[in-house]
Amino acid sequence: DIQMTQSPSSLSASVGDRVTITCRASQSIRSYLNWYQHKPGKAPTLLIYAASTLQSGVPSRFSGSGSGTDFTLTVSGLQPEDFATYYCQQSYNTDHVTFGPGTKVDIK
Amino acid sequence: QVQLQESGPGLVKPSQTLSLTCAVSGGFISSGGYYWSWIRQHPGKGLEWIGYIHYSGTTYYNPSLKSRLTISLDTSKNQFLLMLTSVTAADTAVYYCARVTYGGNYAFDYWGRGTLVSVSS
């Protein structure tokens, strides 16, 4: 199995801050990395796929980068609606996709 | 706009079978280019992929659940189903259904809102 880790596990930030979340894979997954936002009681939403491609309708303040084993999700100018938990997911091994443990972003 | 909606019992007794349905609207599960998936989230934990099915019937299951798991399609009702046998308290979770676009990096691009299933006597 490909193990995914994320750091930090949680962070506190203010509206307007630039926030960066890191995701690491236990082996190279090339660019087969997707990012999701999840709010309590809601369906998760796809933010970025293929490491850096913004899903249609997602605000441009979200960006992703990386390849191989190390990836980042950046939110440039955090908005009130961005307080949520963020997950990365590898799709390199399609027989067994795996998610990271999540990073919770809350209000400072 | 594709929409997915999970349904099923909110309470299942230990050792029994958990059965859930995901109704799809705004698109057809028999369309090519997609897998139809189940994912769960244990209380206070992260997301765990359960498995997915292609309209051809091909399935991929999480190895940790494979011996107890069946995912199937009902194209006449445009829905897909999850059956998990011999459940225990460890299967208590919010269960989500989702669509995977394999042309889109195998990302889960549409999700249901989830349904909580508790396993308890």
Side-chain angles (χ1 to χ4, degrees):
Chain A
D1 296 355
I2 298 175
Q3 307 300 320
M4 308 300 293
T5 58
Q6 288 182 233
S7 61
S9 57
S10 65
L11 65 91
S12 296
S14 300
V15 173
D17 283 354
R18 178 184 174 95
V19 167
T20 298
I21 298 168
T22 297
C23 175
R24 177 164 290 172
S26 59
Q27 66 179 72
S28 175
I29 56 171
R30 294 165 57 185
S31 294
Y32 290 94
L33 191 283
N34 310 308
W35 289 99
Y36 302 86
Q37 179 190 71
H38 192 198
K39 298 178 182 179
K42 300 285 187 68
T45 57
L46 175 64
L47 297 174
I48 288 168
Y49 63 94
S52 61
T53 303
L54 202 64
Q55 172 71 346
S56 175
V58 174
S60 59
R61 62 181 179 273
F62 291 93
S63 63
S65 65
S67 67
T69 60
D70 295 316
F71 302 86
T72 58
L73 172 71
T74 300
V75 187
S76 301
L78 202 65
Q79 296 300 300
E81 61 268 29
D82 300 336
F83 293 96
T85 300
Y86 294 85
Y87 294 94
C88 60
Q89 173 241 330
Q90 65 81 16
S91 54
Y92 179 80
N93 179 2
T94 55
D95 288 357
H96 188 181
V97 301
T98 46
F99 291 87
T103 295
K104 184 177 181 181
V105 177
D106 61 22
I107 302 172
K108 182 183 288 185
Chain B
Q1 177 83 344
V2 174
Q3 294 186 320
L4 297 92
Q5 177 68 58
E6 305 89 350
S7 62
L11 181 64
V12 181
K13 289 182 167 44
S15 80
Q16 293 190 343
T17 297
L18 183 164
S19 297
L20 295 175
T21 298
C22 181
V24 179
S25 58
F28 294 102
I29 61 172
S30 55
S31 300
Y34 309 112
Y35 283 89
W36 303 94
S37 185
W38 290 96
I39 295 144
R40 68 182 182 181
Q41 183 176 33
H42 294 102
K45 302 294 186 183
L47 299 168
E48 178 186 31
W49 173 72
I50 296 172
Y52 41 48
I53 187 167
H54 187 256
Y55 82 93
S56 64
T58 301
T59 54
Y60 295 90
Y61 295 156
N62 188 319
S64 69
L65 298 169
K66 188 173 183 177
S67 63
R68 300 190 291 131
L69 181 62
T70 302
I71 297 176
S72 59
L73 297 171
D74 184 346
T75 54
S76 67
K77 295 181 179 179
N78 209 40
Q79 60 190 27
F80 60 105
L81 302 95
L82 165 74
M83 284 182 46
L84 186 65
T85 62
S86 304
V87 298
T88 70
D91 296 307
T92 293
V94 175
Y95 286 76
Y96 297 95
C97 58
R99 188 185 83 169
V100 174
T101 299
Y102 52 77
N105 214 55
Y106 276 79
F108 299 92
D109 56 359
Y110 288 96
W111 296 65
R113 295 191 64 169
T115 187
L116 175 62
V117 179
S118 298
V119 178
S120 174
S121 55

